């Protein structure tokens, strides 16, 4: 039974990152993967308390624009596994889960960055095959990407289940400072690149005023993200209601054909 539970926990950690990148049925939200881990381990109550703790830690944390954030889903899965295996006392279980889960979640940042770097090479190889007209080879290469992402969470889970928390601490201690700093810098650049790519498809010129207001309140007034979100909602609601009350007008060109514009910048 214990071997089966270990296999299912590893499978869950492999699947959740793929699902988060694709179907988004399970994702790696602590509250969801914690429930599944609790079902696997046979103690849903303890698992949900642990999952709720990590869910509170992850509130407001999102990998927007390709940024890398602590993997609290992975921390939850491993925390639930170790806590339920270690003790049946709820408070002790929470302490154990936090003690082993937080380092794993922080390690998840570095593993996520490494996975994204490796997938860049996969993309280039697939594009090269496509340009050569080798579409079957391109499809085979593209399968490597999901495998890399899945292993970025399944591998540390398997190592942790086999060797315990010592392996995680050993990895963090053995990795040189320059390597950790390099991954940190790469992780910091990813959001900038992601936001820049996103702005290419947004009507920035048309709504430049709102963009500047959001930048000012964030950079100069230090408004929290919740305040900026509420301010953005207020602008969006005002803009929506104003447009709804405007009379409908259709523009035509000289030939009498209807001109249809779009909100995208050229």
């Amino acid at each position: 039974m214990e071997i089966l539970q270990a296999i299912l926990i590893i499978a869950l950690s492999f699947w959740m990152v793929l699902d988060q990148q694709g179907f988004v049925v399970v994702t790696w939200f602590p509250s969801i993967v914690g429930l599944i881990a609790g079902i696997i381990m046979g103690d849903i109550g303890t698992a949900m308390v642990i999952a709720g703790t990590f869910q509170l830690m992850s509130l407001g944390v999102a990998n927007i624009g390709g940024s890398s954030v602590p993997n609290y889903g992975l921390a939850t899965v491993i925390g639930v596994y170790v806590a339920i295996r270690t003790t049946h006392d709820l408070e002790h279980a929470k302490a154990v889960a936090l003690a082993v889960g937080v380092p794993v979640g922080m390690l998840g940042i570095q593993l996520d960055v490494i996975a994204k770097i490796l997938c860049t090479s996969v993309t280039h190889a697939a594009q090269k095959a496509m340009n050569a007209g080798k579409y079957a080879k391109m499809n085979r290469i593209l399968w490597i990407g999901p495998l890399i992402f899945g292993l970025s969470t399944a591998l540390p889970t398997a190592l942790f289940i086999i060797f315990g928390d010592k392996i995680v601490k050993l990895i963090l201690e053995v990795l040189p400072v320059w390597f950790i700093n390099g991954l940190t810098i790469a992780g910091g650049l990813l959001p900038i690149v992601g936001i820049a790519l996103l702005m290419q498809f947004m009507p920035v010129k048309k709504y430049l005023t709102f963009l500047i207001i959001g930048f000012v309140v964030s950079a100069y007034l230090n408004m929290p993200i919740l305040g900026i979100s509420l301010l953005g909602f207020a602008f969006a609601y005002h803009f929506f209601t104003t447009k709804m009350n405007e009379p409908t007008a259709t523009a035509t060109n000289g030939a009498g054909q209807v001109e249809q514009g779009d909100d995208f910048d050229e």
Side-chain angles (χ1 to χ4, degrees), residues 72-84:
Y72 289 113
L74 179 61
T76 301
V77 171
I78 294 181
V80 168
Y81 176 83
V82 175
I84 295 177

Side-chain angles (χ1 to χ4, degrees), residues 5-17 26-38 40-41 47 50-52 54-55 71-85 96-98 100-102 104-105 153-154 156-158 160-161:
Q5 288 176 333
I7 293 173
L8 291 175
I9 288 293
I10 295 172
L12 173 61
S13 66
F14 184 92
W15 169 253
M16 67 180 185
V17 67
V26 176
T27 77
W28 52 20
F29 293 133
S31 57
I32 298 177
V33 295
L35 173 62
I36 300 174
I40 294 173
M41 299 303 297
I50 295 171
F54 282 110
Q55 186 70 61
N71 193 333
Y72 289 113
L74 179 61
T76 301
V77 171
I78 294 181
V80 168
Y81 176 83
V82 175
I84 295 177
R85 279 287 184 86
V96 170
L98 289 173
V100 299
V102 171
V104 173
T153 50
T157 302
F160 192 90
I161 288 175

Side-chain angles (χ1 to χ4, degrees), residues 126-207:
Q127 185 175 17
K128 184 178 180 180
M130 181 193 70
N131 294 337
K134 300 177 180 178
Y135 301 111
K137 181 179 179 181
M138 177 195 71
N139 289 330
R140 290 195 299 269
I141 293 174
L142 288 175
W143 279 103
I144 301 175
L147 178 63
I148 292 174
F149 270 107
L151 289 176
S152 70
T153 50
L155 187 59
T157 302
L159 291 175
F160 192 90
I161 288 175
I162 296 171
F163 299 105
D165 62 333
K166 294 181 180 179
I167 188 66
V168 177
K169 295 179 180 178
L170 178 63
I171 292 173
L172 293 175
E173 291 175 358
V174 169
L175 290 177
V177 176
W178 62 266
F179 185 74
I180 297 293
N181 291 340
L183 292 177
T184 302
I185 294 172
L189 289 175
L190 286 173
I192 300 173
V193 176
I195 292 173
L197 290 172
L198 182 63
M199 292 178 68
Q200 291 290 323
F201 301 97
M202 294 177 64
V204 175
K205 296 178 182 178
K206 185 175 181 180
Y207 303 108

